[in-house]
Amino acid sequence: MIWPDDAPNVEPVPSPRAQRKPSNAVRDGIIAETSAQTSNLHRVLIHIGGEGMAAHLRQWNVGTDHDGRTLFHYVDARGRHVTTKGIAYDAAGKRMRDSGARFGVSLPSQYVPMTSGEGHRPCLFGEQWMQDGQSMIDYRDMLNPKRITFDDRTPVALVESEKSAIVASFIMPSMVWIAAGGSNGITADKAEALRGRTVLILFDCDDAGRNSAAECAKRITAAGGVAIHEIDGVPVQDVVFTSAAPAGFDIADHVMHMLATRAAEHQIGSTLHISQGVA
């Protein structure tokens, strides 16, 4: 994978500030009540990423609801929990498309809907990391975790899915990783949060992802940000993933494959070491 470090340095163009539509906040306690790391996605990621990944998922507040869905809590730039999306994954950590995603949380005693009908408007997923002075812990080395502090000059990477933002930030925590919540997830309202920021758009490797990245770039530019969806006329995803990636391939697929390979190599190495000791 090649990361485009030489992305153009362009100053944002000022534009009139739009008023973002308000959202109701979720009642206190939901994140704490759903903090169990027992969903299928948790099991897969922690298996390949170890204790460091478990700690990383905790700092993102990734939870599990009563139905076993993975919960992605949306927290805005003011630190308010505005909604939660629940997604079902299979035992391999792949999204179960027939189950669909839903905004709401299943608790033992009730289902708590968090849709626009209840006054909840999703922000950008990961928007909380865009607060000036916000910090994330780099847990790749659990013996020597490092705190990384962000400011308004920290580059932003925009991906499609919540899973991609979380997994990519584990490997590359020096950037602010956020998710649109789908290829069509960047509205003019959400783009307002990216005013004054340089945003690298890394959507999925398919025509829908490339086309949506171009449309999102227009909205981010209109909001006063700098959007990079191409480098020298080539879509960013085709620059980052230099090999022939299958349709729909994304940064989460790449990182999970890399972590799984490392985990397998470590397991094989440990087995050989034990075998040699026995011999």
Side-chain angles (χ1 to χ4, degrees):
M1 181 177 78
I2 297 175
W3 190 255
D5 293 320
D6 56 349
N9 183 16
V10 184
E11 289 297 321
V13 178
S15 64
R17 182 175 292 277
Q19 182 65 39
R20 297 186 71 186
K21 296 177 181 178
S23 172
N24 290 341
V26 176
R27 72 166 174 81
D28 293 340
I30 288 287
I31 291 178
E33 291 174 46
T34 59
S35 61
Q37 296 189 321
T38 53
S39 74
N40 283 336
L41 184 61
H42 280 94
R43 292 189 178 100
V44 170
L45 291 179
I46 293 172
H47 175 71
I48 61 178
E51 294 180 10
M53 179 63 79
H56 183 67
L57 293 172
R58 280 193 293 272
Q59 73 179 336
W60 274 90
N61 291 317
V62 183
T64 308
D65 75 359
H66 189 62
D67 294 339
R69 289 175 181 257
T70 304
L71 297 180
F72 301 104
H73 302 293
Y74 279 65
V75 179
D76 67 16
R78 292 189 289 166
R80 297 189 316 143
H81 178 198
V82 295
T83 192
T84 295
K85 183 190 287 186
I87 300 179
Y89 292 89
D90 63 20
K94 296 291 185 181
R95 181 171 171 175
M96 299 172 66
R97 299 287 177 179
D98 56 345
S99 297
R102 67 188 186 193
F103 284 99
V105 174
S106 177
L107 300 174
S109 59
Q110 63 176 322
Y111 177 73
V112 181
M114 300 180 191
T115 64
S116 58
E118 284 72 40
H120 298 284
R121 298 181 183 276
C123 55
L124 294 167
F125 180 74
E127 189 176 303
Q128 72 269 26
W129 302 114
M130 295 180 63
Q131 298 178 67
D132 192 20
Q134 180 65 278
S135 61
M136 175 179 286
I137 306 298
D138 178 358
Y139 285 114
R140 286 175 294 177
D141 181 359
M142 283 295 286
L143 297 178
N144 186 31
K146 298 180 176 65
R147 181 177 296 277
I148 298 173
T149 302
F150 304 129
D151 59 30
D152 57 10
R153 296 169 297 174
T154 303
V156 177
L158 175 66
V159 293
E160 289 189 28
S161 75
E162 300 85 357
K163 171 184 168 184
S164 288
I166 291 165
V167 171
S169 67
F170 179 70
I171 293 294
M172 290 170 278
S174 60
M175 299 182 73
V176 172
W177 289 86
I178 58 175
S183 61
N184 297 315
I186 291 290
T187 61
D189 185 53
K190 289 183 183 178
E192 186 63 26
L194 300 172
R195 169 186 293 270
R197 304 300 293 260
T198 298
V199 184
L200 187 74
I201 305 175
L202 181 56
F203 279 8
D204 296 0
C205 274
D206 51 30
D207 289 340
R210 296 180 186 94
N211 294 335
S212 295
E215 290 300 314
C216 286
K218 294 177 184 177
R219 296 189 182 103
I220 293 169
T221 301
V226 173
I228 303 167
H229 74 285
E230 292 182 339
I231 295 178
D232 295 331
V234 180
V236 168
Q237 53 267 68
D238 295 327
V239 175
V240 173
F241 305 114
T242 55
S243 60
F249 192 80
D250 62 18
I251 188 67
D253 294 324
H254 178 83
V255 173
M256 290 175 69
H257 174 74
M258 181 175 65
L259 290 173
T261 301
R262 288 181 180 177
E265 290 174 348
H266 177 74
Q267 183 177 15
I268 292 171
S270 298
T271 302
L272 290 174
H273 178 74
I274 293 171
S275 297
Q276 290 169 353
V278 172

